[in-house]
Amino acid sequence: MTIARENLRWNGWGRLGESIELSGPREQALLAELGRRLGRSLSRAPAPIELDAVRPPPCKLTPAVLAQLRAACGEDFVRTSAFERLTHALGRSLPDLLRLRRGEIERFPEAVLYPRDEGAVAAVLRIAAETDLAVVPFGGGSSVVGGVEPRTGPGQAGALALDTTRLDELLRLDRESGTATFQVGIDGPALEAALASQGLTLGHFPQSFEHSTLGGWIATRSVGQQSDGYGGIDDLLVSVRMVTPEGVVRTIEVPRSATGPDWNHLVLGSEGVLGVIVEATLRVRPAPRASVIRGALFRNWADGLAAVRAMHGAGLSLTMARLSDAAETELSLLLRRDPMRRVDPAATALGLAARAGWGSGRCTLLYGAEGEPGRVRGALRSARAIAWRHGGLPLGSAPGRAWRRERFRTPYLREWLLDHGVAVDTMETALPWSRVADGHRVVTDALHAALGVHAGSGLAMGHLSHGYPDGACLYFTALWPLDEARPLEQWAAIKRDVSDAIVAAGGTISHHHGVGTDHAAWLARERGTLALAALRAAKAALDPRGLMNPGKLL
Amino acid sequence: MTIARENLRWNGWGRLGESIELSGPREQALLAELGRRLGRSLSRAPAPIELDAVRPPPCKLTPAVLAQLRAACGEDFVRTSAFERLTHALGRSLPDLLRLRRGEIERFPEAVLYPRDEGAVAAVLRIAAETDLAVVPFGGGSSVVGGVEPRTGPGQAGALALDTTRLDELLRLDRESGTATFQVGIDGPALEAALASQGLTLGHFPQSFEHSTLGGWIATRSVGQQSDGYGGIDDLLVSVRMVTPEGVVRTIEVPRSATGPDWNHLVLGSEGVLGVIVEATLRVRPAPRASVIRGALFRNWADGLAAVRAMHGAGLSLTMARLSDAAETELSLLLRRDPMRRVDPAATALGLAARAGWGSGRCTLLYGAEGEPGRVRGALRSARAIAWRHGGLPLGSAPGRAWRRERFRTPYLREWLLDHGVAVDTMETALPWSRVADGHRVVTDALHAALGVHAGSGLAMGHLSHGYPDGACLYFTALWPLDEARPLEQWAAIKRDVSDAIVAAGGTISHHHGVGTDHAAWLARERGTLALAALRAAKAALDPRGLMNPGKLL
């Protein structure tokens, strides 16, 4: 079991004791500046409720059912403690954190099960079918779209959280084919460590990397921070096994097939509603001998966009090209500013750049490549030339090093903001290149409008996080002063307005977060009702009693 | 309408009047050599039946139904002539050709419809639903797995062939995003011509390119001869519209999405059983400024395989790497031998190579790259170095030029062989690299055994046609003396034995030909019955009366 939840925050992100590091003076300066921008003075918000104060209702399972589950999973691996039920009650979205901090948890799983193998998973589904219980597959629990809440369907007395983290083994390594077969409850660090010991990597690094599992990546069609080069989890998946209430669905280990619709792509993104993914074979690669990220500063968003599009058009083998808009560029400069530091060469350089035309409106690009040193150098050289042609001032490798240091730590910022009464949420979409600039403008405008209406003020910013030959992912971040009286309603109203704008702009409601409960309302507009009806029909064939993760996706 | 069937062979491949070019003496020498290898003297086989002698049974449609169909498609575009019904009765597999040449056509469509737009397609499906008729989408009609035969389901009085070739327009070009939206009845040459006029290419060149349509490529998950570089049609598809009996299923034009299972991948490979694909948006690229194919000769299959695997492992941007085994290498040398030619420098060079160790067992590799001249040179230089390290003797660009000349003409060879009583069929699969060598041996052995048992003799050979980081496609060709009394039974017996061997070796039953009727028996072993049940359930939601292409795929 690679994830030890007792070492993690029960009501927030990440490891206990870890947080963003802000010295006292920096913290004060930042609070003052944020407060100025949000139009109110920021101070310590009401403290979140203590863990001990959360009391789940009694477990509704009968001793007989618990005994059956113990027979399937092992005596110690059917858990009904308050801690277990609480840590499997919600994911890590903003509304989840708001609920946890206030102790307003609507639903708890009746028990948390830790099956050890495929047989135990099948046994759990059988018991759940016989006793009319819902089953919610649970990996890292890092869903930001409500994907793991233990909802129940009609006629179901409760839900079981099926924790996959004991399914954490590397089962096979096929060096000749460059594939590795894992059980899917393994988390990011353990998976990469198992591969690193063989000189290999998967190259999949979502921001949740440290606290998410392979199964979650597959179930939500995850992308990582280097996916421009390695591909998303859909590109890395060779074959998969999924236990459904009606039996096992599996695909075979071949590089390609033309035998009808591709079932990997039915399992990818299935979000637990069809079954429990238990095993996956993945394409792996030699660990890169070189990995470099460089920065460039553009005069404005349009120049930066043109450069990133040209890089994708030129087919450079970049692993990332991440362009912040002006607002995000400015906020990240603000976050790194240290009032105690007398001499700051970077600040001096930026001042010079501002006078030379890279001032307000400027946008930071981070671009990187991994692999053989010669090829990395070649790709970065070509990318720098393209950036230069679009007015991209080279920033060297310092911004990349800073980003790499912070890459998995950004979510900790959310705790600090919430502690000071500031909400932060992110939304993302993908658009064809011809609509990226408009889409960014329209969604940012909608975000500003929504923050004005529902929060009185707020900050909205965005970046291009992933690019493709034909389009890109836009990722938006919003900060607003929390309405402590009605924080969930406030969030829902902002979310609704922005999601409407995304869909109206022709974007997908999610490029890589998934659907869960939070995006389900927009799915029919994106897919059409007929496609959803066909998916429901396929689900009914695999899960006729509707046990699997009710209320999500469909 | 880009396909003019009156200019095509009604009972064989390609254009009337075109055939492989063999001078009299070359033909005689080749017949003698083939006869020696097949253990019998080859002479002119019984002539195929004449077109006029084929008489379809009367069309069963009532005047009222025909009038409805004419209202939907237009007066001239509901056709019931013997020629139309015959040219839409079968595809271009070996058993199809055997049936056509003997005039043993079991099923004819009642009528052939040429709808002009999505509305007309929907109207046809509505009429078919009301009158219990099957609907068989028909593009180029080049299926080699029985994908277009007008079968009927329970309670259906007959089948309509829905010919898509009037849906042949380029609808939109989004240069900024690098995408083009076509109606899907456009054939390969027209599609590439439309793009070439804009300096673009799709880069999809299946062997059937001249006689197949975009819709067929999508419906069968096609790959082209340069797909190592451009990707298969699945990699090129951005979004799609499909008319089903219950309405339109469509995906949106975004580069990626994480909103549940990917519906592009349900439409890809759907083989007409879910609905009629009418429109598709595709990733296109600038037409390559350079396109080079080179040859290399390896001492044996194992050396060649190791080289191709290393090329894929090194991530060279090759568009093709096609390795013939020893038997195929030898037969292709035999086919190009000209007894009238006194001096043949290539033959002299091969003689020298044989004395130096590249003799019996030698294997030819063709490898190529397309794109910017500098990158093409770089990729080919790296590939040549890898080949050299594995004993690959450079053959220069002559073999590539010859291959390019013949790339769409090889199927014409089949007519000539059938004219002389020799059957030829092909089978293909894909396997991970760790099983490619074994798979090649096992399937070739099975092929030899099957030819011995069912035909007394035969030739069996293969090549690696496409490669991936994690595996490759193996493509097998078999020639055997036709049992003129029971040719279909003979074919079916050989096909069955080889298909069993492919599936037993862990291969997919098709890497790129599809399932149709001919591979359906092996599908459940590959996919498992549960996955097929779920697919049937999805079909029932889209096509509750079972109109769409009955008897195929599922």
Side-chain angles (χ1 to χ4, degrees):
Chain A
M1 207 151 30
T2 55
I3 295 184
R5 290 191 216 277
E6 57 280 13
N7 300 330
L8 303 181
R9 268 197 187 81
W10 68 273
N11 65 352
W13 185 259
R15 280 176 291 271
L16 284 170
E18 284 200 31
S19 55
I20 54 154
E21 283 154 28
L22 283 175
S23 65
R26 262 187 79 195
E27 183 172 25
Q28 287 315 312
L30 195 55
L31 281 176
E33 180 60 28
L34 277 178
R36 197 182 60 76
R37 293 171 188 225
L38 295 175
R40 66 176 66 183
S41 87
L42 301 178
S43 57
R44 207 75 199 171
I49 193 172
E50 293 292 325
L51 174 58
D52 293 346
V54 182
R55 304 210 190 285
C59 162
K60 283 182 254 168
L61 303 182
T62 62
V65 170
L66 284 168
Q68 282 181 60
L69 292 168
R70 290 202 173 98
C73 299
E75 201 58 39
D76 291 342
F77 296 104
V78 176
R79 300 181 183 169
T80 54
S81 70
F83 180 80
E84 289 282 346
R85 292 174 66 201
L86 173 58
T87 52
H88 292 80
L90 287 165
R92 285 301 173 264
S93 67
L94 174 64
D96 289 346
L97 264 54
L98 293 173
R99 289 184 191 105
L100 288 168
R101 291 168 71 98
R102 300 159 69 92
E104 292 172 0
I105 297 119
E106 213 175 318
R107 302 175 183 90
F108 292 86
E110 301 305 317
V112 182
L113 322 171
Y114 294 83
R116 181 82 191 99
D117 53 32
E118 186 176 305
V121 171
V124 168
L125 299 196
R126 209 158 40 236
I127 298 162
E130 287 162 8
T131 50
D132 276 328
L133 292 163
V135 177
V136 182
F138 198 103
S142 64
S143 171
V144 289
V145 294
V148 293
E149 204 187 350
R151 299 200 175 195
T152 48
Q156 288 166 349
L160 303 171
L162 190 157
D163 187 304
T164 59
T165 57
R166 274 176 90 208
L167 300 161
D168 62 355
E169 289 191 17
L170 169 60
L171 297 173
R172 287 187 300 283
L173 191 63
D174 178 348
R175 291 200 76 97
E176 202 174 343
S177 308
T179 61
T181 305
F182 285 96
Q183 289 183 303
V184 302
I186 193 165
D187 67 9
L191 178 142
E192 280 293 337
L195 292 175
S197 72
Q198 306 286 326
L200 299 168
T201 184
L202 178 63
H204 193 74
F205 302 103
Q207 195 173 52
S208 64
F209 176 75
E210 296 179 306
H211 306 294
S212 57
T213 61
L214 172 56
W217 303 344
I218 296 169
T220 60
R221 305 185 79 85
S222 160
V223 294
Q225 293 166 339
Q226 313 278 322
S227 287
D228 281 8
Y230 289 95
I233 199 69
D234 42 327
D235 299 303
L236 299 171
L237 186 71
V238 177
S239 64
V240 69
R241 289 182 71 87
M242 178 171 72
V243 181
T244 79
E246 292 292 291
V248 173
V249 167
R250 44 86 189 150
T251 55
I252 63 170
E253 234 175 286
V254 294
R256 186 187 200 271
S257 160
T259 52
D262 184 348
W263 276 76
N264 280 346
H265 281 277
L266 196 86
V267 175
L268 284 156
S270 57
E271 300 194 5
V273 308
L274 303 180
V276 185
I277 305 167
V278 290
E279 196 180 307
T281 298
L282 304 161
R283 293 182 181 99
V284 295
R285 280 174 241 216
R289 286 176 48 218
S291 174
V292 183
I293 300 171
R294 296 198 180 282
L297 190 68
F298 292 88
R299 288 190 193 86
N300 54 57
W301 173 245
D303 286 358
L305 273 189
V308 175
R309 199 190 121 218
M311 289 174 193
H312 283 286
L316 307 185
S317 300
L318 297 177
T319 50
M320 72 180 286
R322 183 187 191 283
L323 178 73
S324 295
D325 68 9
E328 190 179 278
T329 299
E330 213 223 326
L331 189 75
S332 58
L333 291 175
L334 177 68
L335 283 173
R336 65 176 292 287
R337 196 189 297 162
D338 186 348
M340 299 306 281
R341 201 160 165 193
R342 299 277 168 78
V343 184
D344 185 342
T348 313
L350 283 168
L352 284 171
R355 283 196 288 278
W358 286 262
S360 77
R362 64 192 172 188
C363 294
T364 313
L365 170 69
L366 293 173
Y367 61 98
E370 292 195 352
E372 289 304 301
R375 279 213 231 164
V376 167
R377 271 195 304 276
L380 292 180
R381 200 182 308 123
S382 303
R384 189 171 54 182
I386 289 173
W388 184 254
R389 278 202 295 280
H390 292 86
L393 212 58
L395 296 180
S397 51
R401 279 198 303 272
W403 177 84
R404 211 188 279 271
R405 214 162 41 231
E406 299 296 323
R407 62 193 292 197
F408 302 130
R409 302 185 52 82
T410 322
Y412 286 105
L413 189 59
R414 192 164 51 163
E415 314 303 321
W416 180 79
L417 289 167
L418 286 172
D419 285 343
H420 293 89
V422 178
V424 55
D425 200 15
T426 61
M427 301 92 179
E428 31 91 55
T429 186
L431 287 162
W433 283 115
S434 59
R435 286 188 274 140
V436 165
D438 273 2
H440 175 260
R441 202 191 54 245
V442 166
V443 177
T444 310
D445 286 353
L447 204 40
H448 278 128
L451 293 172
V453 171
H454 305 298
S457 70
L459 301 181
M461 65 205 81
H463 63 263
L464 184 160
S465 71
H466 296 79
Y468 303 87
D470 54 323
C473 168
L474 289 175
Y475 195 99
F476 301 93
T477 303
L479 279 75
W480 67 88
L482 205 53
D483 178 348
E484 298 284 358
R486 304 173 66 246
L488 287 162
E489 292 81 347
Q490 185 187 33
W491 165 80
I494 294 168
K495 175 84 179 171
R496 187 188 60 233
D497 290 359
V498 180
S499 298
D500 284 346
I502 285 174
V503 171
T508 172
I509 192 65
S510 176
H511 168 267
H512 61 268
H513 282 166
V515 176
T517 52
D518 297 357
H519 289 148
W522 288 270
L523 198 61
R525 278 159 74 184
E526 178 168 335
R527 299 299 190 92
T529 50
L530 187 56
L532 294 186
L535 187 54
R536 277 193 204 100
K539 175 181 163 70
L542 302 174
D543 176 24
R545 302 180 66 91
L547 314 177
M548 295 309 310
N549 211 8
K552 317 300 161 52
L553 181 59
L554 286 170
Chain B
M1 208 152 30
T2 56
I3 294 183
R5 290 191 217 279
E6 57 280 13
N7 300 331
L8 303 180
R9 271 198 184 81
W10 68 274
N11 66 353
W13 186 260
R15 281 176 290 272
L16 285 168
E18 284 201 32
S19 55
I20 55 155
E21 282 152 31
L22 284 174
S23 65
R26 260 187 82 194
E27 183 172 26
Q28 287 315 311
L30 195 55
L31 281 176
E33 181 59 30
L34 276 180
R36 197 181 62 73
R37 291 169 190 227
L38 294 174
R40 66 175 67 184
S41 86
L42 302 178
S43 57
R44 206 75 198 168
I49 193 172
E50 292 292 326
L51 174 59
D52 293 346
V54 182
R55 303 213 192 283
C59 163
K60 284 181 253 168
L61 303 182
T62 63
V65 170
L66 284 169
Q68 284 182 59
L69 291 169
R70 289 201 174 99
C73 299
E75 201 58 40
D76 292 342
F77 296 104
V78 176
R79 300 182 181 167
T80 54
S81 69
F83 180 80
E84 289 281 348
R85 293 174 66 201
L86 174 56
T87 52
H88 292 79
L90 288 165
R92 286 299 174 265
S93 67
L94 173 65
D96 289 346
L97 265 54
L98 294 173
R99 290 184 190 105
L100 288 167
R101 291 168 71 97
R102 299 158 70 93
E104 292 172 358
I105 298 118
E106 214 176 317
R107 302 175 181 90
F108 292 85
E110 300 306 316
V112 181
L113 322 172
Y114 294 84
R116 182 83 189 99
D117 54 30
E118 185 177 306
V121 171
V124 168
L125 300 196
R126 211 159 38 236
I127 299 163
E130 286 162 10
T131 50
D132 276 328
L133 293 164
V135 177
V136 182
F138 198 104
S142 65
S143 170
V144 289
V145 294
V148 292
E149 203 187 350
R151 300 202 173 195
T152 49
Q156 288 166 349
L160 303 171
L162 190 157
D163 188 303
T164 60
T165 57
R166 273 176 90 210
L167 300 162
D168 61 356
E169 289 191 18
L170 169 60
L171 297 173
R172 287 186 302 281
L173 192 63
D174 179 348
R175 293 200 75 98
E176 203 175 341
S177 309
T179 61
T181 304
F182 286 96
Q183 291 183 302
V184 302
I186 193 164
D187 68 9
L191 177 142
E192 281 293 336
L195 292 175
S197 72
Q198 306 285 327
L200 299 168
T201 184
L202 178 63
H204 194 73
F205 302 103
Q207 196 173 53
S208 63
F209 175 75
E210 295 178 309
H211 306 293
S212 57
T213 62
L214 173 56
W217 303 342
I218 296 169
T220 61
R221 304 184 79 86
S222 160
V223 293
Q225 293 166 338
Q226 314 277 324
S227 287
D228 281 8
Y230 290 95
I233 198 69
D234 41 327
D235 299 303
L236 299 171
L237 187 71
V238 177
S239 64
V240 69
R241 288 183 72 86
M242 177 171 73
V243 180
T244 78
E246 293 291 292
V248 173
V249 167
R250 43 86 190 152
T251 55
I252 63 171
E253 236 175 283
V254 293
R256 185 187 200 271
S257 160
T259 52
D262 184 348
W263 275 76
N264 280 346
H265 281 277
L266 197 85
V267 175
L268 284 157
S270 58
E271 299 194 6
V273 308
L274 303 180
V276 185
I277 303 167
V278 290
E279 195 180 307
T281 299
L282 304 162
R283 292 183 181 100
V284 296
R285 280 174 242 216
R289 288 176 48 217
S291 174
V292 183
I293 300 171
R294 297 197 179 283
L297 192 68
F298 291 87
R299 289 191 192 86
N300 53 57
W301 174 244
D303 286 358
L305 273 190
V308 175
R309 201 190 120 218
M311 288 174 193
H312 284 285
L316 307 184
S317 299
L318 298 177
T319 50
M320 71 180 288
R322 184 188 190 284
L323 179 72
S324 295
D325 68 9
E328 190 179 278
T329 298
E330 212 222 328
L331 189 75
S332 57
L333 291 175
L334 177 68
L335 283 173
R336 66 176 292 286
R337 197 188 296 163
D338 185 348
M340 301 304 283
R341 199 159 165 195
R342 297 277 168 78
V343 184
D344 185 342
T348 312
L350 283 168
L352 284 171
R355 283 196 288 280
W358 285 263
S360 77
R362 63 192 173 190
C363 293
T364 311
L365 170 69
L366 293 173
Y367 62 99
E370 291 196 353
E372 289 305 300
R375 278 212 231 165
V376 167
R377 272 196 304 274
L380 292 179
R381 198 182 310 124
S382 302
R384 188 171 55 180
I386 289 173
W388 182 254
R389 278 204 294 282
H390 292 88
L393 213 58
L395 297 180
S397 52
R401 279 198 303 273
W403 176 83
R404 213 186 278 271
R405 215 164 37 233
E406 299 297 323
R407 60 193 293 197
F408 303 130
R409 301 185 52 83
T410 322
Y412 287 104
L413 188 61
R414 193 165 51 163
E415 314 303 323
W416 179 79
L417 288 167
L418 285 172
D419 285 343
H420 295 88
V422 178
V424 54
D425 200 15
T426 60
M427 302 92 179
E428 32 91 56
T429 186
L431 288 162
W433 283 116
S434 59
R435 285 187 274 140
V436 166
D438 273 1
H440 174 260
R441 201 189 56 244
V442 166
V443 176
T444 311
D445 286 352
L447 203 41
H448 278 128
L451 294 172
V453 171
H454 305 298
S457 70
L459 301 181
M461 66 205 79
H463 64 262
L464 184 160
S465 72
H466 296 80
Y468 303 88
D470 54 322
C473 168
L474 290 174
Y475 196 98
F476 300 93
T477 303
L479 278 75
W480 67 87
L482 205 52
D483 178 347
E484 297 283 358
R486 305 172 66 245
L488 287 162
E489 292 82 346
Q490 185 188 32
W491 165 80
I494 294 167
K495 176 83 179 171
R496 188 188 59 233
D497 290 0
V498 179
S499 297
D500 284 346
I502 285 174
V503 172
T508 172
I509 192 66
S510 176
H511 168 267
H512 61 267
H513 282 166
V515 176
T517 51
D518 298 356
H519 289 147
W522 287 270
L523 197 61
R525 277 161 74 184
E526 179 168 335
R527 298 300 191 91
T529 50
L530 186 56
L532 294 186
L535 187 55
R536 276 189 205 102
K539 176 180 162 71
L542 302 174
D543 176 24
R545 301 180 66 92
L547 315 176
M548 295 308 310
N549 211 8
K552 317 299 161 55
L553 181 60
L554 286 171

